């Protein structure tokens, strides 16, 4: 077997993990999920979930990845025994599914950036009966969406095929700082907008009665978003940690990654919600996956300098999407390299091609996006995190503590606290979140069967 690649620098690993985390999870998904959850009410639950569950969970993925030097399937087999390889397969499947529609959405952001190059957003909306929702419906499906899905996946495959140091690490060292700088600039500009105050109030002033009344919806939504944005439960952090040396302080790296990720998610809200209120769009959360395109396009059409700022915004998200996509493709590529024995180029192209094919239906009907995204978010991510937590906390806890102490030193009681946090409170929270997520997804499917899904089957089959 060829010598396994490693990160050239600690900065490269941190930026790669941050790039995986910040992508579409923070900039596309975070605003509409926050809107659905009531703004500041969701933000508070989300931040608590990241701090209390996300940090211990990311350490669990790190120790499994570095201890085994393998992809999720090989890592869980080596760590827990042969039966656990099937659980590792769930991680591979999760990344596979998410990237299939991630690529389509990444193509949408490229298209909206191109629209900014072609002219002002007001004229584009006017060409679609003056309705940004009709514009989104036209641009999000069809031949153009199919072509840009192809382009996006080709870029992703090309970067991953070049390897850890020459491909992923080199790319994220350029992309992640650019994403942060552009978002900071947009947030500063949004602060100067008239009528932006309402956006800040909606985003930063939680109503605790909303949390009390809607916790059964907020908890699974916050859990799914936390794991989605931190790339947990999909094998990314296991895979990335497998390229680390034993001298690295995993707790320090995990703190940096979560800090950057949460900061960028928070920063995204400081961009999106003030701009929405400045554009007189004060009902976030009703537009689903297309909300950021509809709302932000309308806002950029109504604001001075909106063409230029819209171009920057959509281009920034497109870059962020690529930084996330390469991490997801690396998970399944690593699996093909380790378990099947093919070289990196063949693995990246082969796996990327299969993922690309799964995403093709999304380019023709958004019903497939809803089916895939809700399933991955509400069930697969939380389930993956749950079983890994059980493995580390209950099956082989001492191995985990020993691995975490490499690069840190004796943890003493802190190691015990971490293990017991994984064993009881985090497992309970994840079980409850998974149950609520399954119930919510079943309700979603029932509604689809009665409405949109039944219509689609009748019309197309």
């Amino acid at each position: 077997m060829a010598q396994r690649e490693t990160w050239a620098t600690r900065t490269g690993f941190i930026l790669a993990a941050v790039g995986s985390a910040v992508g579409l999870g923070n900039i596309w998904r975070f605003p509409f999920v926050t809107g659905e959850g009531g703004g500041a009410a969701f933000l508070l639950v989300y931040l608590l979930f990241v701090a209390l569950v996300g940090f211990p969970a990311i350490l669990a993925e790190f120790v499994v990845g570095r201890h085994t030097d393998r992809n999720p399937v090989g890592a869980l087999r080596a760590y827990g025994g042969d039966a656990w390889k099937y659980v590792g397969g769930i991680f591979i499947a999760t990344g596979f599914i998410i990237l299939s529609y991630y690529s389509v959405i990444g193509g949408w952001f490229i298209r909206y950036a191109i629209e900014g190059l072609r002219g002002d957003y007001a004229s584009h909306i006017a060409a679609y009966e003056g309705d940004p929702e009709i514009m989104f419906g036209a641009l999000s499906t069809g031949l153009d969406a199919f072509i840009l899905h192809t382009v996006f996946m080709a870029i992703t495959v090309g970067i991953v095929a070049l390897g850890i140091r020459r491909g992923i690490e080199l790319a994220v060292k350029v992309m992640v700082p650019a994403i942060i700088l552009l978002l900071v600039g947009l947030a500063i500009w949004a602060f100067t907008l008239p009528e932006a105050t309402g956006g800040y109030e909606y985003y930063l002033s939680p109503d605790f009665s909303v949390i009390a009344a809607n916790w059964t919806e907020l908890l699974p939504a916050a859990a799914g978003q936390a794991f989605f944005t931190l790339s947990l439960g999909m094998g990314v952090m296991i895979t990335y940690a497998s390229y680390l040396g034993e001298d690295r302080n995993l707790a320090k790296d995990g703190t940096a990654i979560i800090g950057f990720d949460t900061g960028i998610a928070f920063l995204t809200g400081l961009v999106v919600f003030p701009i929405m209120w400045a554009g007189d769009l004060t009902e976030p959360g009703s537009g689903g996956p297309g909300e950021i395109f509809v709302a932000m396009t309308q806002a950029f059409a109504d604001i001075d300098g909106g063409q230029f700022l819209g171009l920057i915004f959509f281009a920034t998200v497109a870059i962020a999407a690529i930084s996330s996509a390469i991490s997801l493709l690396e998970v399944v590529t690593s699996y093909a390299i380790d378990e099947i024995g093919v070289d990196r180029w063949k693995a990246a192209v082969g796996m990327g091609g299969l993922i690309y094919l799964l995403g093709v239906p999304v380019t023709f009907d958004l019903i497939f996006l809803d089916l895939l995204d809700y399933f991955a978010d509400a069930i697969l991510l939380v389930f993956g995190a749950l079983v890994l937590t059980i493995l580390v906390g209950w099956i082989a806890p001492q191995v985990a503590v020993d691995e975490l102490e490499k690069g840190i030193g004796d943890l003493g009681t802190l190691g015990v606290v971490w293990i017991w946090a994984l064993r009881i409170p985090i497992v309970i929270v994840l079980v409850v979140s998974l149950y609520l997520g399954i119930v919510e997804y079943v309700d979603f499917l029932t509604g689809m069967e009665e409405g949109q899904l039944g219509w689609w089957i009748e019309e197309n089959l």
Side-chain angles (χ1 to χ4, degrees):
M1 180 182 294
Q3 183 177 358
R4 191 170 181 81
E5 292 186 83
T6 59
W7 302 102
T9 63
R10 177 175 184 265
T11 300
F13 165 65
I14 296 293
L15 292 178
V18 170
S20 172
V22 302
L24 293 183
N26 274 2
I27 308 177
W28 161 66
R29 205 171 187 284
F30 179 74
F32 85 77
V33 175
T34 302
E36 290 175 342
F42 174 85
L43 177 65
L44 179 59
V45 177
Y46 165 75
L47 292 176
L48 288 173
F49 207 99
V50 168
L52 300 178
V53 179
F55 181 67
I58 202 172
L59 292 182
E61 293 210 11
F62 279 171
V63 297
V64 171
R66 189 175 69 176
H67 180 73
T68 59
D69 292 334
R70 288 292 179 269
N71 67 89
V73 171
L76 268 69
R77 181 178 58 229
Y79 193 93
D82 193 59
W84 284 87
K85 68 181 179 182
Y86 301 107
V87 176
I90 295 173
F91 287 95
I92 302 298
T94 302
F96 196 99
I97 291 171
I98 291 175
L99 183 53
S100 70
Y101 64 83
Y102 224 79
S103 176
V104 178
I105 298 166
W108 296 347
F109 281 102
I110 294 174
R111 177 59 188 270
Y112 272 77
I114 292 172
E115 294 299 287
L117 286 172
R118 293 179 57 244
D120 65 89
Y121 288 97
S123 63
H124 293 317
I125 294 174
Y128 294 94
E129 303 178 27
D131 190 337
E133 289 189 23
I134 295 177
M135 177 180 172
F136 173 73
L139 298 184
S140 62
T141 57
L143 181 60
D144 287 354
F146 172 78
I147 291 172
L148 289 172
H149 169 48
T150 306
V151 170
F152 186 92
M153 185 57 73
I155 294 171
T156 303
V157 168
I159 293 173
V160 172
L162 288 172
I164 297 300
R165 295 191 179 191
R166 295 189 301 120
I168 296 174
E169 187 167 352
L170 185 62
V172 297
K173 283 182 176 180
V174 175
M175 289 190 292
V176 174
I179 294 166
I180 295 173
L181 287 174
L182 290 169
L183 284 175
V184 168
L186 285 169
I188 292 172
W189 168 77
F191 182 75
T192 68
L193 295 174
E195 309 301 328
T197 304
Y200 291 117
E201 183 176 353
Y202 174 82
Y203 183 53
L204 300 176
S205 299
D207 184 342
F208 292 97
S209 65
V210 172
I211 298 175
N214 299 283
W215 72 270
T216 57
E217 290 83 20
L218 288 174
L219 183 59
Q225 179 60 27
F227 289 120
F228 198 107
T229 188
L230 290 172
S231 297
L232 297 174
M234 60 182 78
V236 171
M237 294 307 171
I238 293 176
T239 304
Y240 274 6
S242 73
Y243 303 120
L244 286 174
E246 294 185 351
D247 59 334
R248 299 289 286 276
N249 186 323
L250 296 180
K252 186 176 181 180
D253 288 350
T255 301
I257 291 164
I258 288 180
F260 272 111
D261 171 73
T262 306
I264 292 172
F266 182 76
L267 184 61
T268 299
L270 296 179
V271 173
V272 171
F273 294 110
I275 290 177
M276 289 178 65
W277 256 254
D280 199 28
L281 304 168
T282 57
E283 295 183 3
S286 59
E291 176 166 298
I292 196 167
F293 297 94
V294 174
M296 298 301 281
T297 301
Q298 183 65 69
F300 289 130
D302 296 338
I303 294 171
D304 291 338
Q307 177 183 349
F308 174 70
L309 293 164
L311 170 61
I312 293 176
F313 176 78
F314 288 119
T316 299
V317 186
I319 295 170
I322 293 172
S323 72
S324 292
I326 58 179
S327 68
L328 291 169
L329 183 56
E330 178 59 24
V331 172
V332 293
T333 298
S334 175
Y335 165 77
I337 293 170
D338 291 345
E339 304 298 320
I340 303 175
V342 298
D343 62 39
R344 175 168 285 274
W345 269 98
K346 291 179 180 178
V349 172
M351 289 298 188
L354 292 174
I355 293 170
Y356 164 78
L357 291 175
L358 180 61
V360 167
V362 179
T363 67
F364 292 100
D365 199 308
L366 297 188
I367 186 175
F368 296 105
L369 171 62
D370 291 334
L371 289 169
L372 293 172
D373 183 49
Y374 288 149
F375 180 60
D377 169 55
I379 298 175
L380 289 180
L381 291 177
V382 181
F383 179 74
L386 173 62
V387 293
L388 187 75
T389 300
I390 292 172
L391 173 63
V392 172
W394 288 100
I395 306 300
Q398 192 57 51
V399 175
V401 173
D402 291 344
E403 185 65 38
L404 186 59
E405 287 180 336
K406 296 175 181 176
I408 298 177
D410 183 21
L411 289 171
T413 56
L414 290 177
V416 176
V417 170
W418 173 55
I419 290 299
W420 279 102
L422 291 175
R423 283 179 170 177
I424 297 180
I426 292 179
V427 165
I428 292 173
V429 170
L430 291 176
V431 168
V432 173
S433 298
L434 180 61
Y435 169 75
L436 294 174
I438 292 172
V439 170
E440 186 175 341
Y441 189 66
V442 171
D443 290 342
F444 164 74
L445 289 178
T446 302
M448 296 287 278
E449 288 172 354
E450 296 173 351
Q452 186 179 0
L453 183 57
W455 173 86
W456 189 92
I457 293 173
E458 182 180 342
E459 291 292 318
N460 294 276
L461 297 180

